[in-house]
Amino acid sequence: MSEIKVDLVIANAAEALTISGKQSDLGVIRNAWIAVKDGVITSIGSEREVRASYDISEAKMINASGKVVAPGFVDSHTHLVFYGSRVEEYAAKVTGINPKKLEELGIITGPNRTVELTRESPDEELLEQAKKRMLTMLEYGITTVESKSGYGLTTESEIKILEISRKLGEETPLDVLNTFLGAHGFPENKTKEEYIEEIINDMIPKVAERGLAEFCDVWCDDGYFTAEESKQILEAGIKHGLKPKIHADAYSYIGGSDLAAEMNMVSVDHMNFTPEEVMDRLAKTDVTAVLMPALDFAVGHKRPFQARKMLDKGVKVALATDLCPACYTESMQFVINLACRLYQFSVEEAIKAATYGGAKALNLGDRGILGEGKIADIQIWDVPSYKHIAYHLGTNVVETVIKDGKVVITK
Ligand SMILES: [Zn+2]
């Protein structure tokens, strides 16, 4: 027996999903043991293998008999810092109400409503509302989350959102990666040209100088930013060390996904209108397609993205919640339910896209997998085999969540 003492051992798991196999192979280990030391996985395998390598005499033991152990979910696309809700809009729209009627009823719709509320909100309340959402995400097995700005649209309020987002990473167990998305829409008092100028020459330098974001993102769509404008903004981001991401092809095809391939972006997100030849191009790159079934569900999108085609072509795929006022869910499990039933993901592909795929969409090589040397972000599902995660609808099957080797949720 080795002298090296580990802190935590998960024993007897019915299945451990290492996620280390090819596309539809989750690398399942049955009757698995996992050892953790200083927040890192040191060993995963059989009881004999783990006991032979490490001294477990002082470790906290978790018995996962009859349960499934998986890496924490990595949610690579959210707009989680926002104030209030758009519940009245959602409730009215589910009946298929005519948009004119909404106006007559005085219900203000769309992201600008959220921009108004978010700009005016006291920092403390904005923080508390977002924190509550994040702690729900944690209960549902999400251990790393990306957070976009974009409900400010002024330099001051975009910075405020990113600063709150940073604080959320410090005040909750989750890891938060920030994305600057000043190009999410347009402020009411500026021309488009003036606003792009402000993004490039004021917002990006200030955000980068303060170390407030890892990524820069743009909403590239008809009526928003063109591919050419998106390129300008994202190149300015790159100059300041912000890696490019893009909202592309959600409601029209105007070249956003081509730009993602051309610039070899970290991710291309949405893709409802992406043509097959662009999927072929993307398959040859390292760009991850971030797909968000819950958003399409919540907005009743008329054109589903072609996930099966992308998967068959070998495009790298991530699943994300897209938590925002138009898609109010903290549950990656709900996203997996939808991905499997409505978008023809296999259960294995969906789980992989929500863990390894999410990490890849955030350029993180240290998580999304259960393996030696990886961060010990682990969840335990109270189900006898992993396929139940897709089968058991709308229910939280997560029993235990471990972040950086520490138990943060237990039921
Ligand atoms: Zn988005």
Side-chain angles (χ1 to χ4, degrees):
M1 193 179 74
S2 162
E3 304 276 291
I4 302 167
K5 288 185 160 68
V6 291
D7 320 318
L8 175 76
V9 169
I10 301 168
N12 305 313
E15 296 172 352
L17 315 181
T18 63
I19 324 281
S20 55
K22 289 236 158 56
Q23 190 167 334
S24 44
D25 174 8
L26 294 178
V28 179
I29 302 174
R30 284 173 219 289
N31 204 11
W33 281 52
I34 300 168
V36 172
K37 182 179 171 58
D38 299 331
V40 174
I41 297 169
T42 54
S43 180
I44 176 164
S46 66
E47 174 177 4
R48 194 174 51 78
E49 283 163 339
V50 169
R51 282 188 188 276
S53 315
Y54 293 96
D55 177 354
I56 68 165
S57 60
E58 288 171 28
K60 176 184 171 68
M61 298 293 289
I62 297 176
N63 184 6
S65 174
K67 293 166 189 166
V68 174
V69 180
F73 291 129
V74 179
D75 192 351
S76 58
H77 186 134
T78 84
H79 306 251
L80 72 88
V81 182
F82 61 86
Y83 192 77
S85 79
R86 298 219 303 272
V87 63
E88 294 304 330
E89 175 185 343
Y90 189 88
K93 280 183 174 171
V94 291
T95 62
I97 192 171
N98 183 319
K100 276 232 168 83
K101 188 92 204 264
L102 279 174
E103 243 173 73
E104 280 166 35
L105 289 170
I107 298 172
I108 311 162
T109 62
N112 283 346
R113 176 66 184 146
T114 302
V115 169
E116 221 172 275
L117 291 169
T118 304
R119 273 186 193 161
E120 289 163 7
S121 63
D123 290 11
E124 203 46 43
E125 282 183 43
L126 193 55
L127 178 80
E128 285 312 313
Q129 290 192 2
K131 192 188 281 180
K132 193 171 173 206
R133 288 174 205 124
M134 280 183 65
L135 294 174
T136 305
M137 292 176 131
L138 190 65
E139 277 179 44
Y140 280 74
I142 296 173
T143 47
T144 298
V145 67
E146 184 255 17
S147 167
K148 299 179 196 291
S149 68
Y151 291 124
L153 309 183
T154 65
T155 303
E156 189 194 349
S157 54
E158 287 293 302
I159 285 176
K160 158 175 140 168
I161 291 167
L162 291 170
E163 279 174 344
I164 283 172
S165 198
R166 270 274 173 276
K167 242 192 193 168
L168 288 166
E170 291 157 16
E171 294 187 9
T172 70
L174 289 94
D175 286 333
V176 181
L177 283 92
N178 272 354
T179 298
F180 166 65
L181 177 59
H184 193 204
F186 306 100
E188 63 294 319
N189 56 353
K190 282 199 161 75
T191 66
K192 194 179 187 188
E193 289 67 32
E194 284 168 349
Y195 188 51
I196 292 173
E197 214 266 330
E198 184 182 1
I199 290 174
I200 291 176
N201 296 319
D202 195 34
M203 290 185 176
I204 288 177
K206 283 185 179 151
V207 165
E209 193 187 309
R210 294 170 200 209
L212 284 174
E214 282 78 26
F215 306 101
C216 184
D217 196 343
V218 176
W219 185 289
C220 180
D221 222 314
D222 193 20
Y224 289 84
F225 295 85
T226 66
E228 192 44 50
E229 290 158 352
S230 301
K231 189 176 179 179
Q232 253 182 294
I233 293 166
L234 293 172
E235 281 181 344
I238 291 170
K239 258 192 221 146
H240 286 86
L242 306 179
K243 289 168 234 137
K245 284 175 160 280
I246 192 164
H247 285 65
D249 309 353
Y251 296 99
S252 64
Y253 170 62
I254 60 162
S257 47
D258 298 84
L259 188 64
E262 180 193 317
M263 291 179 71
N264 200 26
M265 293 188 198
V266 180
S267 72
V268 50
D269 305 34
H270 286 291
M271 301 183 75
N272 301 66
F273 283 80
T274 308
E276 281 201 43
E277 57 270 24
V278 185
M279 294 178 194
D280 290 327
R281 276 183 74 194
L282 284 166
K284 294 193 191 97
T285 69
D286 210 29
V287 182
T288 299
V290 178
L291 304 177
M292 296 165 288
L295 183 270
D296 285 15
F297 175 82
V299 302
H301 205 300
K302 297 281 186 294
R303 168 127 166 186
F305 51 80
Q306 300 294 309
R308 189 68 258 154
K309 281 205 174 110
M310 289 185 236
L311 289 160
D312 289 342
K313 287 172 184 293
V315 177
K316 289 99 195 155
V317 167
L319 282 169
T321 61
D322 201 7
L323 169 58
C324 69
C327 174
Y328 206 161
T329 183
E330 293 95 338
S331 173
M332 190 68 89
Q333 295 166 65
F334 173 56
V335 170
I336 290 172
N337 293 159
L338 296 174
C340 291
R341 189 61 276 183
L342 299 179
Y343 296 85
Q344 293 82 43
F345 276 69
S346 70
V347 179
E348 293 81 6
E349 287 164 339
I351 292 171
K352 193 164 190 169
T355 52
Y356 173 79
K360 209 175 161 303
L362 295 175
N363 253 1
L364 298 170
D366 59 1
R367 65 197 75 192
I369 288 178
L370 295 183
E372 285 168 28
K374 301 293 177 189
I375 291 182
D377 290 357
I378 300 169
Q379 48 177 332
I380 303 176
W381 301 337
D382 187 12
V383 291
S385 73
Y386 69 80
K387 285 181 184 160
H388 285 261
I389 193 94
Y391 168 66
H392 202 157
L393 305 174
T395 296
N396 187 8
V397 304
V398 172
E399 183 201 69
T400 302
V401 179
I402 295 158
K403 177 76 189 90
D404 294 317
K406 298 209 166 51
V407 177
V408 288
I409 300 283
T410 179
K411 281 180 190 157

